[in-house]
Amino acid sequence: MSVEYVEKVYNRYSSVYDLIFGKIFHSGREKAPELLQLQPGMQLLDVGIGTGLSLPELPRFCSITGIDLSQKMLNEAKKRLKKLARDNVSLHKMDATRMTFPDDAFDRVLAAYFISTVPDPVAVVREMKRVCKPKGYLLFLNHFQSENPILGSVEKMISPLCYRIGFRTDLNLKDLLQRVGLKIDRLERIDFAGHWKAVRCINEK
Ligand SMILES: C[S@@+](CC[C@H](N)C(=O)[O-])C[C@H]1O[C@@H](n2cnc3c(N)ncnc32)[C@H](O)[C@@H]1O
C-alpha cells in the first residue's frame, strides 16, 4: 500500500474519525502525558496527529508540533485548536517518512495509533529517532501483533484486508524495535485485554 493510498483513506475518514475512534482510543491518549514526562519549554512532535484528539490531554507549557499526511484530518485538528484556544501548537502537512525537521529537533515524539497505518514503519521510526534528541522519549500507542500463536496468525491473515481500510494488524513490536535499534523503557497495557499498548523507548543514538 502506498503513502498516497493512506492519504486518500484518511481524507475520507476525516469527518467521521472522532465519532469512530474518539472514545475507543481515549484511554491511551489519556495516559500519554504521564509517560511523556513533559516539562516546561520542551518540544513535542505528535506524528500522525490526525484530527488532534491528543491535544486536550497535552499541556500548554510546551511547544507542540503536529504533522499528518492528510490535509482533511489536519483541517479537523485546526478546528479543534481554535475551540481549545491553544497557541502552543503548530500543524504541518508532512510525510513522516521524510520529515523536513533537522536532526535532534524534539525532546519527545508521540506516535498515537499511527505506526500501524504507515506502509514502511521501520523507515518512519528511523525518522522519528533522527528528529528526536539523544535520551529523548519516543512513545508509541498502538495495537501490536499478539504473542498468542493462534491470535497472532489470525491477525497476520486479516492484516492485508484491514490495511485497505487504513491500518495493519500484524505489526510485530519486538521485530520493529530490533530493526530500528530501540529498547523498551516502559510498557503499559491500554486496553483491558492487553492487545493495545503504550510503549516508551529512550532514544539512545
Ligand atoms: C489512526 S490515525 C491516528 C490519529 C491520531 N494520532 C489519534 O490519536 O487519533 C493515523 C493518522 O496517521 C496519518 N498518517 C498515516 N501515514 C502517515 C505518514 N506517512 N505521514 C504522516 N501522517 C501519516 C493519517 O493520515 C492519520 O491521520
Side-chain angles (χ1 to χ4, degrees):
M1 222 62 76
S2 65
V3 166
E4 291 74 22
Y5 180 82
V6 177
E7 183 178 356
K8 259 192 218 156
V9 169
Y10 282 95
N11 272 336
R12 272 195 221 125
Y13 270 133
S14 60
S15 57
V16 291
Y17 184 85
D18 291 4
L19 202 67
I20 306 173
F21 299 108
K23 270 210 177 125
I24 56 168
F25 291 157
H26 185 66
S27 60
R29 297 187 194 102
E30 218 177 22
K31 231 179 220 305
E34 179 211 329
L35 291 167
L36 286 166
Q37 292 188 359
L38 289 158
Q39 285 154 34
M42 276 189 170
Q43 300 280 340
L44 165 72
L45 173 65
D46 189 339
V47 203
I49 188 168
T51 62
L53 283 166
S54 55
L55 291 173
E57 313 304 322
L58 298 170
R60 288 173 185 267
F61 58 67
C62 59
S63 255
I64 302 171
T65 304
I67 67 159
D68 205 284
L69 262 187
S70 156
Q71 187 58 54
K72 289 195 173 174
M73 293 290 271
L74 284 173
N75 292 345
E76 296 301 315
K78 279 182 194 156
K79 287 184 205 161
R80 190 182 313 279
L81 261 187
K82 216 171 170 186
K83 272 193 208 145
L84 292 169
R86 299 282 293 259
D87 60 2
N88 64 329
V89 182
S90 65
L91 298 170
H92 309 270
K93 182 174 175 354
M94 198 185 290
D95 177 4
T97 324
R98 288 171 287 119
M99 292 191 245
T100 55
F101 305 120
D103 295 355
D104 307 341
F106 299 96
D107 301 280
R108 304 285 186 256
V109 182
L110 169 65
Y113 309 104
F114 157 73
I115 199 64
S116 53
T117 69
V118 301
D120 188 349
V122 171
V124 170
V125 179
R126 286 195 179 129
E127 264 299 89
M128 289 168 59
K129 285 184 67 180
R130 181 186 69 77
V131 300
C132 182
K133 291 180 185 169
K135 303 276 179 209
Y137 292 172
L138 303 158
L139 179 64
F140 302 91
L141 308 175
N142 222 82
H143 167 275
F144 294 101
Q145 187 180 21
S146 171
E147 285 175 10
N148 173 305
I150 297 172
L151 201 54
S153 0
V154 173
E155 286 170 343
K156 200 169 178 59
M157 210 167 64
I158 62 169
S159 195
L161 209 65
C162 290
Y163 204 55
R164 298 199 76 82
I165 56 166
F167 55 91
R168 55 193 285 189
T169 48
D170 66 345
L171 186 64
N172 187 288
L173 177 61
K174 275 190 198 153
D175 179 59
L176 175 67
L177 296 185
Q178 198 180 8
R179 290 178 67 190
V180 297
L182 283 174
K183 287 190 188 129
I184 296 173
D185 171 53
R186 204 161 141 190
L187 185 144
E188 291 196 14
R189 289 172 161 206
I190 48 179
D191 72 332
F192 179 70
H195 300 308
W196 295 83
K197 295 182 175 82
V199 181
R200 187 175 79 190
C201 302
I202 297 174
N203 199 19
E204 308 286 359
K205 287 205 184 182

